[in-house]
Amino acid sequence: MNTVTLVDIPRANRAAWLPTVLDIWEASVRATHDFLSEEDIAGLRPLVRSGASAVSTLVLASTGMPVGFMGVEGRKIEMLFLHPAHFGRGTGRALVEHAIQRLHADAVDCNEQNTRALAFYRRMGFAAEARTADDGHGNAFPLLHMRLARQG
């Protein structure tokens, strides 16, 4: 595993980081979201841009270069994406542990069809509490609403 540095990106600096964030998002989505069409990806891109701009906490993961990011709002991980070259190297774990330990996050939504992410969140201690048939934007991509299992 490479050493991962996590950096909070303040809202005032986010515009400069958005191209990098969107590049990571697109590479990740293309590797994991095979249920999305080119039209779907194009339609989601502005939503990701808006979400990354607006989320209260945006954390960039770097191993000397940006390799992932996570957005947290309240106690919920709203977005977490890694460049596929960094899957399985501990970067996602570092981001989620940061969200849980430092930001007190205990919830995440996961595309039901993204089996890799679903398995990852389960390994991190999350369990599905509910399911919706769409993604919150009216797209027919079922979501599992997951909550961190309480310890002790």
Side-chain angles (χ1 to χ4, degrees), residues 107-131:
V108 66
D109 291 343
C110 184
N111 285 104
E112 186 176 57
Q113 296 154 297
N114 186 351
T115 56
R116 185 180 186 118
L118 189 54
F120 167 75
Y121 286 121
R122 286 182 174 143
R123 283 192 308 274
M124 294 301 299
F126 288 85
E129 287 190 326
R131 179 186 185 274

Side-chain angles (χ1 to χ4, degrees), residues 19-74:
T20 299
V21 164
L22 289 170
D23 286 348
I24 292 168
W25 168 80
E26 187 168 337
S28 182
V29 163
R30 289 186 182 283
T32 59
H33 292 59
D34 57 0
F35 53 92
L36 294 178
S37 68
E38 288 297 320
E39 183 178 283
D40 294 330
I41 292 170
L44 289 170
R45 191 175 183 86
L47 298 175
V48 174
R49 174 184 284 280
S50 173
S53 297
V55 74
S56 63
T57 303
L58 183 67
V59 180
L60 189 70
S62 175
T63 60
M65 61 182 284
V67 297
F69 71 94
M70 171 182 68
V72 177
E73 186 67 46

